[in-house]
């Protein structure tokens, strides 16, 4: 058996792992989409009730929880921290944009 066919056979053995990873990636994407949908709802609520977008105490609590959950499942702390920072930055930007848009609509009406 040639080295190429051995490598090809070995690579075929990766297919079950790849399928599992693809399924997990799909679930992650759906969950992130759901999370951002909820953040949009939060932005509307905050706007309607004149609540400031930034809630530092909440951000601190969620960050601590992220780090703890990540540690519980063996994620590297740096990864968990960077993921949280990306999520919170995206969430804040999304909320800011939506709240500004809603405020503009109220001012025009």
């Amino acid at each position: 058996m040639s080295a190429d066919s051995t490598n090809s056979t070995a690579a075929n053995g990766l297919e079950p792992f790849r399928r599992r990873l693809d399924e997990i990636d799909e679930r992650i994407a759906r969950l992130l989409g759901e999370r951002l949908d909820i953040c949009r709802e939060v932005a509307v609520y905050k706007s309607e009730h004149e609540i400031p977008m930034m809630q530092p105490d909440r951000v601190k609590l969620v960050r601590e929880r992220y780090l703890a959950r990540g540690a519980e499942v063996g994620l590297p702390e740096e990864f968990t921290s960077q993921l949280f920072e990306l999520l919170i930055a995206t969430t804040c930007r999304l909320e800011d944009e939506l709240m500004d848009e809603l405020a503009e609509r109220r001012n025009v009406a």
Side-chain angles (χ1 to χ4, degrees):
M1 190 176 256
S2 72
D4 285 342
S5 67
T6 300
N7 286 341
S8 178
T9 301
N12 288 339
L14 293 173
E15 194 55 36
F17 302 112
R18 291 174 176 162
R19 277 195 308 270
R20 288 171 51 205
L21 288 170
D22 289 346
E23 290 170 9
I24 290 170
D25 288 341
E26 185 176 323
R27 290 194 318 240
I28 289 170
R30 272 189 267 132
L31 286 170
L32 288 172
E34 184 178 339
R35 188 182 198 289
L36 292 181
D37 286 344
I38 294 168
C39 290
R40 288 180 187 96
E41 293 175 30
V42 167
V44 170
Y45 184 89
K46 286 179 179 178
S47 182
E48 290 172 348
H49 294 88
E50 299 181 3
I51 299 171
M53 184 283 295
M54 182 53 74
Q55 302 287 307
D57 292 339
R58 173 69 179 161
V59 171
K60 181 180 178 189
L61 175 69
V62 173
R63 185 179 197 288
E64 290 170 359
R65 195 168 49 223
Y66 255 81
L67 292 175
R69 287 178 178 160
E72 287 172 10
V73 297
L75 294 176
E77 184 176 347
E78 182 179 355
F79 170 80
T80 306
S81 180
Q82 288 176 355
L83 177 60
F84 172 78
E85 295 302 327
L86 178 62
L87 284 172
I88 198 68
T90 300
T91 299
C92 288
R93 187 175 57 251
L94 182 93
E95 283 188 23
D96 259 343
E97 290 170 0
L98 185 52
M99 290 175 77
D100 287 347
E101 181 183 316
L102 293 170
E104 285 178 31
R105 285 184 197 168
R106 277 194 305 273
N107 291 336
V108 170

